[in-house]
Amino acid sequence: MSDRDTTDSARKMKSSVKESLLDRMRNTHQSSERNRAARAERELPPPVRRQQARFEDLPEYKQVMTQKLVSEQMGIANPFYRAHQTAAGATTIIDGRELINFASYDYLGLNRHPKVLEKAAETIKTFGISASASRLVAGERPVHQQLEEAIARFYGVDAAVSFVSGYLTNVAAISCLMGPQDLIVHDEFIHNSALSGIKLSGATRRLFKHNDAADLEHVLRTVSGDYRRILVIVEGIYSMDGDVANLPAILKLKAEYGFWLMVDEAHSLGVLGKRGRGTFEHFDIDPKQVDIWMGTLSKTTCSCGGYVAGSEALAAVLKAQAGGFVYSVGLAPALAASAIASLEIVAREPERTARLRHNGELFLKLAQEAGLDTGLSVGYSVVPVLVGDSLRAVQLSNELLAAGVNALPIIHPAVPEGLARLRFFITSEHTDAQIRETVRLTAEKLKALTDRNFGLGSVDVEQMMKLLASR
């Protein structure tokens, strides 16, 4: 046999083996999937020629461009995506100017803490930057387990699971635990990440009035249908409004109606409770009464990522079946180490949480005395100043920046039009003088904008539409 014949024979054999492997892989699909594909082939309609949509024609793009055009015509600079030239904390540097900063999640001033930086540097020397793989296959490092053990100890529960993104944590956990046969009831102001997880799960969704346990009970009473599982989701401190979930009242309902309870601690960890352990310490309740503690690592713990804490069984299910864990790269080892170091400092230095509490109370008190609308905030880590008009909120942010204060607006569609605001993140490192100056400037400049009737009401909508159409 010639060399060519031998090569052809080997090629044919390799092709046959490949086809056999593909057939075996396809046969592992569920019969329902095969039947669905077969039905799709039988019912295939005749081809329809359609025009491919351009991104420029999307209504979402036109909305963005309309907002941009209105801002340009009114001389309003874009307050977003401004580059910081240093590690942000109670102060920051933008365009070479040092500013008082109220746009940082660094609640306890740990982002530049020597122990946190030292731990991150040591870990980089050993493990490099990336975990380089999903933890399930080759990305597991000792520091991942150490972080999860530290989180579980901090909450006083059995186990925890860490994820590479706080947003992904909610999406992955909710969609893993809940399905089309289930019901999810959530606070009307729940974070977008939870809404995305609910949508992905396919579960039936109901909402209750913000922080209203009586309305939650009404929803639970009127639920009809034989649901496999029921999950209620709230936030410890609500990120947009700064108020605290009424956890004791919700736990009473849990005992009566038998649902799982998930508490998002993104803005509560390090903030609530005498030692900063969060909502359960704030209310002096047993943390094991809550089924799912969720939080982010990017705020008090000055890292990146998220976590879920609870029972051993909960952690086992998420590590085995949550797509955002199984199919995502492991948390960067240096980030896990930074979070561990931060948790150690929180536990060792409760005075940081006490200083944050003082600063939050002072900011809220001064703002209310100055006639600013602080909404529902109770003066912890988040204090909004409601402005109402989105354009006015953006301009207020810009004028504060010019005066030396960095505070970002929250505008439509993140909040309904009419509820635009500046959101002030309070840290333990702000000084009384910085807080007093910021409140004074905010009240002064907001009054001037209001007196001028600056905002959407002064926009010539017809002229704007003509300009937009001409582009």
Side-chain angles (χ1 to χ4, degrees), residues 123-420:
T123 307
I124 287 174
K125 287 181 182 178
T126 303
F127 296 106
I129 302 299
S130 175
S132 301
S134 163
R135 288 174 60 187
L136 189 68
V137 289
E140 184 77 8
R141 301 292 183 268
V143 72
H144 291 134
Q145 184 175 344
Q146 292 164 14
L147 172 60
E148 289 164 352
E149 290 173 350
I151 292 170
R153 283 196 304 272
F154 201 86
Y155 276 93
V157 295
D158 298 330
V161 182
S162 61
F163 295 80
V164 294
S165 157
Y167 193 99
L168 176 70
T169 302
N170 265 337
V171 172
I174 295 169
S175 62
C176 172
L177 297 170
M178 308 300 286
Q181 302 86 32
D182 303 327
L183 171 68
I184 300 176
V185 186
H186 65 85
D187 188 287
E188 63 178 321
F189 293 163
I190 205 71
H191 194 267
N192 180 269
S193 58
L195 296 177
S196 295
I198 295 168
K199 183 177 181 180
L200 185 60
S201 75
T204 299
R205 179 172 75 96
R206 297 286 183 270
L207 58 83
F208 62 95
K209 294 176 184 176
H210 178 57
N211 217 358
D212 188 335
D215 193 55
L216 171 58
E217 182 172 22
H218 173 74
V219 172
L220 293 168
R221 278 182 175 175
T222 56
V223 163
S224 61
D226 185 18
Y227 294 105
R228 181 185 59 161
R229 301 165 185 167
I230 298 177
L231 173 67
V232 172
I233 309 175
V234 298
E235 295 181 30
I237 292 179
Y238 284 90
S239 61
M240 289 292 180
D241 294 278
D243 54 338
V244 180
N246 188 352
L247 202 53
I250 295 172
L251 286 173
K252 288 181 181 178
L253 295 178
K254 182 178 183 291
E256 183 175 352
Y257 291 94
F259 51 78
W260 284 340
L261 176 59
M262 181 176 189
V263 180
D264 183 335
E265 292 279 275
H267 296 270
S268 313
L269 178 70
V271 177
L272 292 180
K274 187 175 181 179
R275 294 174 294 168
R277 296 179 69 191
T279 314
F280 79 88
E281 185 182 35
H282 177 75
F283 287 112
D284 192 24
I285 65 169
D286 180 354
K288 292 186 177 181
Q289 287 185 271
V290 172
D291 304 281
I292 306 168
W293 293 104
M294 174 271 166
T296 57
L297 299 171
S298 57
K299 299 176 178 64
T300 288
T301 54
C302 296
S303 177
C304 191
Y307 61 87
V308 167
S311 69
E312 291 278 4
L314 170 65
V317 169
L318 293 178
K319 284 189 172 182
Q321 298 186 8
F325 180 89
V326 174
Y327 299 106
S328 185
V329 69
L331 184 65
L335 293 176
S338 300
I340 294 170
S342 295
L343 286 173
E344 290 172 351
I345 296 168
V346 174
R348 191 170 61 245
E349 300 178 16
E351 61 270 19
R352 290 178 179 269
T353 298
R355 284 204 307 271
L356 171 60
R357 178 62 176 145
H358 164 79
N359 287 347
E361 288 178 342
L362 178 62
F363 191 105
L364 184 68
K365 173 179 175 289
L366 293 175
Q368 291 176 343
E369 288 176 353
L372 296 171
D373 184 354
T374 56
L376 303 173
S377 178
V378 289
Y380 286 98
S381 52
V382 181
V383 180
V385 170
L386 273 65
V387 176
D389 184 290
S390 288
L391 286 180
R392 188 176 298 170
V394 171
Q395 184 62 14
L396 175 59
S397 174
N398 288 339
E399 292 190 8
L400 283 175
L401 187 80
V405 175
N406 186 48
L408 273 291
I410 306 296
I411 61 175
H412 179 79
V415 292
E417 186 54 62
L419 291 177

Side-chain angles (χ1 to χ4, degrees), residues 441-455:
L441 287 169
T442 302
E444 175 186 294
K445 294 187 177 301
L446 179 56
K447 183 179 184 304
L449 289 169
T450 303
D451 290 345
R452 287 164 48 199
N453 193 32
F454 185 97

Side-chain angles (χ1 to χ4, degrees), residues 32-181:
S32 60
E33 287 297 312
R34 294 199 300 270
N35 292 339
R36 182 190 62 77
R39 287 197 304 274
E41 288 184 9
R42 287 197 304 270
E43 300 166 3
L44 192 65
V48 176
R49 296 191 180 278
R50 58 194 300 268
Q51 186 70 33
Q52 179 175 317
R54 300 188 321 144
F55 290 113
E56 291 83 356
D57 295 328
L58 296 179
E60 296 89 344
Y61 176 74
K62 291 181 178 179
Q63 179 184 8
V64 171
M65 296 309 294
T66 299
Q67 292 173 338
K68 181 179 179 182
L69 179 60
V70 170
S71 296
E72 289 174 354
Q73 292 299 310
M74 298 188 69
I76 303 174
N78 185 350
F80 307 111
Y81 300 106
R82 288 192 172 114
H84 293 244
Q85 296 159 310
T86 185
T91 61
T92 189
I93 298 175
I94 299 176
D95 292 333
R97 297 173 60 225
E98 184 174 78
L99 307 166
I100 304 171
N101 186 39
F102 285 93
S104 165
Y105 298 146
D106 187 16
Y107 291 135
L108 297 186
L110 302 179
N111 194 30
R112 289 178 279 196
H113 193 285
K115 293 294 183 183
V116 176
L117 299 180
E118 179 185 341
K119 190 70 174 180
E122 289 175 357
T123 307
I124 287 174
K125 287 181 182 178
T126 303
F127 296 106
I129 302 299
S130 175
S132 301
S134 163
R135 288 174 60 187
L136 189 68
V137 289
E140 184 77 8
R141 301 292 183 268
V143 72
H144 291 134
Q145 184 175 344
Q146 292 164 14
L147 172 60
E148 289 164 352
E149 290 173 350
I151 292 170
R153 283 196 304 272
F154 201 86
Y155 276 93
V157 295
D158 298 330
V161 182
S162 61
F163 295 80
V164 294
S165 157
Y167 193 99
L168 176 70
T169 302
N170 265 337
V171 172
I174 295 169
S175 62
C176 172
L177 297 170
M178 308 300 286
Q181 302 86 32

